Amino acid sequence: GAGAALAGKHVVITAGGTREPLDPVRFLGNRSSGKQGVALAHAALARGATVTLIAANLEVAPPTEVELRAVGSALELEVAVTAAAAVADVVIMAAAVADYRPVAARADKIKKDETGGTMLLELTRNPDILAGLARTKRSGQVLIGFAAETETDSVRLLELGREKMARKGCDFLVVNRVGWAEGFASDRNAITVLDHGGDIVCEASGSKLSVAGRILDLIT
Ligand code: C5P
């Protein structure tokens, strides 16, 4: 059993995928199901932690024992996680956060142009929430990010992970492959975890719950 290795600890987990509004009825989204983040919440609860789950459009039910904060867009997620992180011992950014959002959400439903066959959308960068959390981290807080990549070459995948770690500055980065059939939708996952210096500290594959346990083992 996992025991109570995280008893008295406050763990904040973001899960799911953000939706960036285009107009009152449409959004730009991604295929994250929230399964890995929800598995992390289950695993943290099993270890005795108090868990805040910041849920962006989950496709799976979260555990009832968490403090749940539902968010839609990246900017909403940023507000919620920044507030929760101020009192957290551990922050895990498992959510797939949109890198860009429409410059402005239209007040009214966008009409199709009957004369043209194409349409241009102007996007603007979202803040890098994880990098921001790393800059304002409380001393002793453990910050974990994810790097979901479609790269099939495992050497190149690790390089991408190390580059991402350098940009983000978190304590651990969980690198995993995603694709049409793996990662987001699946009940299983395969991960490589890098520490702050880019060294491999864990390789695991299996159910998302077992992978969650291996990730939490790093902080306990
Ligand atoms: O840069 P990339 O999206 O690949 O980074 C993935 C990691 O950074 C994830 O932990 C994700 O939650 C986080 N992220 C973020 N803010 C963004 C984009 C991603 O915090 N705008």
Side-chain angles (χ1 to χ4, degrees), residues 14 74 77 93-99 126-131 144-149 164 167-168 173:
T14 67
L77 190 146
M93 284 289 294
V97 179
D99 293 319
N126 274 327
D128 191 321
I129 302 165
L130 177 58
I144 304 179
F146 273 68
E149 298 288 348
K164 191 158 295 189
R167 286 197 304 275
K168 305 273 185 181
L173 189 71

Side-chain angles (χ1 to χ4, degrees), residues 1-5 46-47 217:
R47 285 165 164 73
D217 286 346

